[in-house]
Amino acid sequence: MNALDVINSMDRMPNNVDRDEIVKTLTRAESTKILNLSVFVCPKFLTEALLSGKPEEYMPVTADDPNDLFFQRIPKIKQVLGDIRKAGIVPTLNILIGDNDAEVYIYPFLPDLKINPAEFDKRRKEHLQSYVARASNLFDSAIAVESLGLRKVVPGNEKATIADDELKAEVTFFGWLFGESGPYKGKLKFDQATLEKMARLKFALYGAQGNYLKKIGGILLQTEGPGVWLQRTMMLRCTGARAIPAIYPWIRKEELRNM
């Protein structure tokens, strides 16, 4: 298989809107013999720490939980890396740790929160080092692991363009996130107006991440799902950045029936 065959075989998104950009990216890769592949990962935050006397502990210091979401992604990541190498192209896996979401769209709405930024960054650096060690043991390709918080990937002056239905969907998601069945177990209370402000800040953050992806180049292996695969990719482009093309290796069979 050539590189395009490899990527097409891994992409489960019907009629992927990025098809033309994927072809262009892989045509360049065939020439340069190198290809960046990126994935976003999320730390396993200790949500209850935000209501404790040590809110810095919200940020974990290790990244070796075998039951986290990234663990489920590993087999296909290894497959695509190996198949790209067989196609004669050297891949680099960029693992981007989304460890500053709370700082952008939760902390501003917790007026009583007193957090030590230096201590939080110290924990963030330890988590990054732990992720580097984990990834080095998992993959035999070149890897680059980055903390988006330490890289200061935050919203800039670009205005996020948000469709009404997309904003409504994200507000609904936040309602679940902070509700009784979400990870915060209903312990943080916000009204609808605040949830909407949070959602807008999240779009702006994703837009900044999209700009960062554009600098890396290559192809995004979209890990955020189910149900919101394409929406999360479009959020990366909400400030006008085309970012990079995305493929969707982890869409399930039952989801495909509704696409």
Side-chain angles (χ1 to χ4, degrees):
M1 290 193 295
N2 61 29
L4 182 58
D5 291 334
V6 171
I7 293 301
N8 284 341
S9 70
M10 296 295 292
D11 188 13
R12 295 176 59 79
M13 175 64 73
N15 303 312
N16 190 333
V17 296
D18 290 339
R19 184 63 53 207
D20 290 345
E21 287 299 317
I22 289 170
V23 171
K24 291 177 184 177
T25 299
L26 293 176
T27 299
R28 289 192 295 269
E30 292 283 1
S31 174
T32 63
K33 301 302 179 185
I34 58 174
L35 178 65
N36 278 311
L37 298 170
S38 295
V39 295
F40 285 101
V41 298
C42 183
K44 193 171 183 179
F45 296 114
L46 185 64
T47 55
E48 57 265 33
L50 289 184
L51 296 174
S52 75
K54 296 181 178 180
E56 296 82 8
E57 292 182 358
Y58 177 78
M59 182 70 218
V61 295
T62 59
D64 53 3
D65 185 351
N67 297 312
D68 65 6
L69 289 176
F70 184 65
F71 183 80
Q72 302 170 28
R73 312 301 193 198
I74 292 169
K76 284 192 175 181
I77 293 174
K78 286 185 173 181
Q79 181 183 343
V80 70
L81 290 172
D83 288 347
I84 287 292
R85 283 197 302 272
K86 290 176 183 177
I89 293 174
V90 178
T92 295
L93 177 65
N94 299 276
I95 300 174
L96 307 176
I97 305 174
D99 54 6
N100 63 340
D101 287 54
E103 293 164 81
V104 172
Y105 56 77
I106 298 179
Y107 290 4
F109 304 100
L110 297 176
D112 297 328
L113 180 66
K114 292 180 175 59
I115 197 162
N116 184 325
E119 176 61 24
F120 194 87
D121 271 353
K122 178 175 178 292
R123 296 179 65 88
R124 187 150 42 195
K125 290 173 184 176
E126 291 179 37
H127 180 268
L128 173 61
Q129 291 165 358
S130 178
Y131 228 116
V132 169
R134 181 185 187 186
S136 297
N137 289 329
L138 284 171
F139 305 108
D140 56 4
S141 296
I143 59 166
V145 187
E146 298 190 46
S147 156
L148 296 180
L150 293 174
R151 287 288 185 184
K152 307 300 182 185
V153 179
V154 295
N157 296 323
E158 302 91 345
K159 179 178 175 58
T161 300
I162 312 171
D164 289 343
D165 58 336
E166 293 174 342
L167 181 63
K168 183 178 179 181
E170 208 55 46
V171 170
T172 299
F173 169 77
F174 276 124
W176 166 82
L177 185 72
F178 297 112
E180 296 293 338
S181 59
Y184 291 87
K185 307 299 181 185
K187 294 179 180 178
L188 297 179
K189 305 290 187 183
F190 304 104
D191 59 26
Q192 283 296 110
T194 300
L195 293 179
E196 181 174 322
K197 291 177 183 177
M198 287 180 168
R200 291 185 181 278
L201 286 170
K202 182 174 180 178
F203 272 87
L205 176 62
Y206 270 58
Q209 293 173 354
N211 285 321
Y212 194 70
L213 274 179
K214 188 175 181 180
K215 296 177 183 178
I216 295 173
I219 292 175
L220 172 67
L221 309 180
Q222 180 58 273
T223 55
E224 283 201 77
V228 292
W229 302 104
L230 191 57
Q231 179 179 335
R232 290 292 182 258
T233 299
M234 294 301 105
M235 287 172 67
L236 294 168
R237 302 169 184 173
C238 70
T239 56
R242 183 58 181 166
I244 61 176
I247 65 168
Y248 306 81
W250 295 281
I251 297 177
R252 299 170 183 168
K253 288 182 180 178
E254 53 269 28
E255 288 184 86
L256 287 173
R257 300 190 191 103
N258 298 318
M259 288 183 170

